Amino acid sequence: MTQVQNYDVIVVGAGNAALAAAVSAHENGAERVLVLEKAPREMRGGNTHWSGGVLRFAFDDPEEVGEILPDAHKQFENFYAGIQPYGFNEYHGDLMRVSNGRTDPELSRILVQNSKETVKWMQSVGKIEMEPAVTLSAVRKGNVMIWARGLIVRAAHEGVGLSRSWFSTAGERGIEIRYGAAAVELLQNADGGVQGVKIRSDEGYEEIEADAVVLGAGGFEANVQMRTQHLGPLIAAAKVRGTPHNQGDGLRMAIAIGAMPWGQWSGCHATPISADWGDFAPREMTDRSNRLSYVYSVMLNRKGKRFVDEGEDAALFTYAKFGRSVLAEPGAKAWQIFDSQTVHLLEPRYQTSEPIKADTLEALIAQLDFEDKAQALRTLEEYNAAARSRDESFDPTKPDGVSTKGLALEKTNWGIKIDQPPFYAYSATGGITFTFGGLRIDANAQVIGTDWRPIPGLYCCGEMVGGLFYDNYPAGTGLVSGATFGRIAGRNAATKKR
């Protein structure tokens, strides 16, 4: 076993949060920063590579977006006219609403209050190129692009571009990155403070010392044993929409030295994705497995029945929990049924699959693998009897209040009939993206022990932070949360604020 000493900061992980921490540590005076990436170089970057790159942040005036996208008003006619203000209360209110009031009050305030400055810092210090999130969160209405609340900006080239930019910036700063370096144990001194990491690589075991350690190693979504234990047997069979390397190593190491588990360990972000994909979403296809236009569909399980209110809210506020809902259905599979009135509204990611198509609902149902085809047709007929014909009340840009009337499970928005041929069907299952359970941290991103005291020298960011998300998740919050607490963790690790 060899031993290397005298790093200022070690960061475990190499995704968005971890590299934000590494860059922040270097920016704040840490001269020797080491990033430990368990994956080989060709698989580097954690889940960031698979993300859509969208960044949710708070702002009071739409023109504040121009600080990040200065040329957008030249690219899009009436650009600012389609943007609603999204202040602290709106953003924090969305977090409270989707988490059923359970989001950590201190951490959620820090996240929202810092969100815009974090994105600006990612752009200026992280050198992340930004672009309008047109294909993900905008719908054209007349000559105006209507943007989803708070979701106007994303990293250029989505998660691939975000990851590539972070690695480039880290390299320019002389931050050392070691690939194939799996962290297996946190090293402690006689006082219980963390003073380094034990790793396993092709050369064997090695102990590396540092003044502080930042954990940004992701959750346990790729670990089937931990999924079964904490999320239940239904989630054990989920397809993984992300890296196979997120095995819960950082959580295990921290808990082994007394870190406090925190947040919803039984919760996860489980996006509806194509059921045609393998157990792991192909790296080259990044996030293009997503199937999030279900708000315009009727979604049926294999028994031919509806199981969620597809129009409960905008998809970017329901997709994380609906992905898990699909997993609870027979065969962990559903079919999204569209007609010619709405198929043009499908987000571009649907183009990675060929739909099943027919001129009648009967002919469509006949081609699908329902256990009860008669029930599936009956469900669609009952839905159409309760739905409304499309008129000017239908508004794809926002929850429109166009609801069915008379169903046991109403569709509360976009509840128009599916009766205009041809008809289209896309398969869906639940793809797990990240887990909600993590570690308790304080406002300095220090890890808190089970004795309710900070563990000296140990910081945490990204998916490993527990307490922010419960039951559900607002799109674009994860990357901003990761960078926000990564920035805080790196800064405090560098200045040894323990």
Side-chain angles (χ1 to χ4, degrees):
M1 180 186 296
T2 58
Q3 191 165 5
V4 179
Q5 301 183 13
N6 299 325
Y7 282 98
D8 297 316
V9 176
I10 293 174
V11 179
V12 181
N16 167 68
L19 292 179
V23 169
S24 176
H26 189 269
E27 177 191 25
N28 286 280
E31 295 181 2
R32 296 199 67 204
V33 179
L34 173 65
V35 172
L36 298 174
E37 167 62 289
K38 180 173 65 171
R41 193 181 192 284
E42 62 271 17
M43 285 291 289
R44 69 181 185 176
N47 275 349
T48 302
H49 179 92
W50 278 266
S51 76
V54 69
L55 304 165
R56 181 182 294 271
F57 61 90
F59 55 91
D60 296 316
D61 185 328
E63 296 210 7
E64 293 176 44
V65 177
E67 298 171 19
I68 299 166
L69 300 175
D71 296 324
H73 70 285
K74 300 175 185 176
Q75 296 175 265
F76 300 98
E77 183 181 4
N78 300 317
F79 176 67
Y80 294 116
I83 301 174
Q84 304 174 61
Y86 192 65
F88 174 90
N89 290 336
E90 287 79 14
Y91 192 164
H92 196 260
D94 282 338
L95 265 175
M96 290 290 289
R97 178 170 54 84
V98 302
S99 67
N100 296 311
R102 299 176 68 190
T103 186
D104 185 287
E106 181 179 35
L107 297 185
S108 61
R109 282 196 299 271
I110 291 171
L111 166 60
V112 177
Q113 288 169 346
N114 287 277
S115 58
K116 186 179 78 170
E117 288 307 311
T118 294
V119 175
K120 292 172 69 175
W121 175 82
M122 293 170 71
Q123 186 178 48
S124 61
V125 176
K127 300 184 180 179
I128 311 298
E129 184 182 350
M130 304 292 180
E131 66 183 11
V134 178
T135 59
L136 182 66
S137 59
V139 176
R140 180 170 292 279
K141 189 175 183 181
N143 65 342
V144 176
M145 298 293 289
I146 306 297
W147 298 86
R149 293 179 301 168
L151 290 177
I152 298 94
V153 175
R154 71 179 173 200
H157 307 296
E158 303 177 357
V160 175
L162 176 59
S163 182
R164 185 184 299 125
S165 295
W166 274 129
F167 279 107
S168 175
T169 299
E172 289 173 4
R173 286 181 168 269
I175 294 169
E176 182 181 348
I177 300 173
R178 293 186 60 175
Y179 297 104
V184 296
E185 184 181 337
L186 293 169
L187 307 178
Q188 293 178 279
N189 57 31
D191 297 325
V194 171
Q195 64 175 18
V197 180
K198 181 178 178 180
I199 70 167
R200 185 170 68 87
S201 67
D202 289 342
E203 286 71 45
Y205 288 99
E206 181 179 348
E207 291 184 354
I208 309 175
E209 293 188 353
D211 294 331
V213 173
V214 180
L215 295 175
F220 58 86
E221 60 273 3
N223 186 315
V224 66
Q225 183 272 330
M226 293 184 74
R227 290 205 308 267
T228 305
Q229 178 183 354
H230 297 291
L231 304 176
L234 294 173
I235 311 300
K239 298 175 187 292
V240 178
R241 182 185 161 267
T243 177
H245 292 284
N246 278 9
Q247 297 281 338
D249 302 329
L251 294 167
R252 175 187 52 76
M253 290 189 301
I255 291 171
I257 66 164
M260 183 185 294
W262 197 247
Q264 190 184 34
W265 278 69
S266 61
C268 66
H269 173 302
T271 310
I273 66 171
S274 171
D276 301 330
W277 294 46
D279 290 341
F280 291 90
R283 184 174 171 87
E284 66 274 12
M285 296 298 287
T286 62
D287 75 330
R288 286 167 175 77
S289 61
N290 281 4
R291 297 294 174 261
L292 305 189
S293 296
Y294 54 80
V295 293
Y296 310 123
S297 80
V298 168
M299 194 153 56
L300 306 181
N301 64 19
R302 292 190 66 201
K303 291 185 179 295
K305 296 183 178 181
R306 292 175 62 238
F307 54 96
V308 295
D309 171 5
E310 303 91 341
E312 176 185 317
D313 201 342
L316 296 175
F317 289 109
T318 59
Y319 74 105
K321 69 175 183 179
F322 282 2
R324 183 162 184 164
S325 296
V326 175
L327 289 170
E329 297 304 308
K333 185 177 181 180
W335 288 99
Q336 298 175 0
I337 312 296
F338 302 90
D339 72 359
S340 62
Q341 297 180 98
T342 58
V343 72
H344 66 285
L345 296 171
L346 271 58
E347 59 168 333
R349 291 180 288 195
Y350 278 74
Q351 296 172 11
T352 58
S353 293
E354 284 295 325
I356 296 174
K357 183 178 176 181
D359 290 328
T360 67
L361 289 173
E362 291 89 342
L364 186 71
I365 295 300
Q367 299 179 66
L368 307 180
D369 62 348
F370 290 111
E371 296 175 13
D372 189 338
K373 295 181 187 294
Q375 176 60 58
L377 183 58
R378 189 159 55 248
T379 298
L380 291 173
E381 290 172 342
E382 291 171 352
Y383 169 84
N384 279 336
R388 291 168 54 180
S389 297
R390 178 170 176 169
D391 59 20
E392 65 277 1
S393 300
F394 174 79
D395 187 345
T397 68
K398 63 181 181 181
D400 59 6
V402 175
S403 176
T404 58
K405 300 296 181 185
L407 298 176
L409 177 60
E410 302 285 13
K411 184 177 181 183
T412 51
N413 292 287
W414 307 290
I416 62 171
K417 298 178 186 293
I418 295 180
D419 62 356
Q420 300 298 310
F423 302 97
Y424 304 81
Y426 288 86
S427 69
T429 186
I432 186 169
T433 305
F434 65 87
T435 44
F436 291 164
L439 306 177
R440 183 170 176 80
I441 65 169
D442 63 14
N444 296 317
Q446 275 196 279
V447 175
I448 304 300
T450 55
D451 58 1
W452 294 93
R453 292 180 294 181
I455 298 175
L458 186 62
Y459 302 83
C460 177
C461 58
E463 294 177 23
M464 289 185 63
V465 173
L468 277 171
F469 308 124
Y470 290 81
D471 302 324
N472 199 5
Y473 161 87
T477 311
L479 291 175
V480 174
S481 169
T484 296
F485 290 105
R487 185 186 185 190
I488 293 170
R491 179 173 64 238
N492 290 326
T495 55
K496 304 172 184 63
K497 186 174 182 178
R498 314 183 193 176

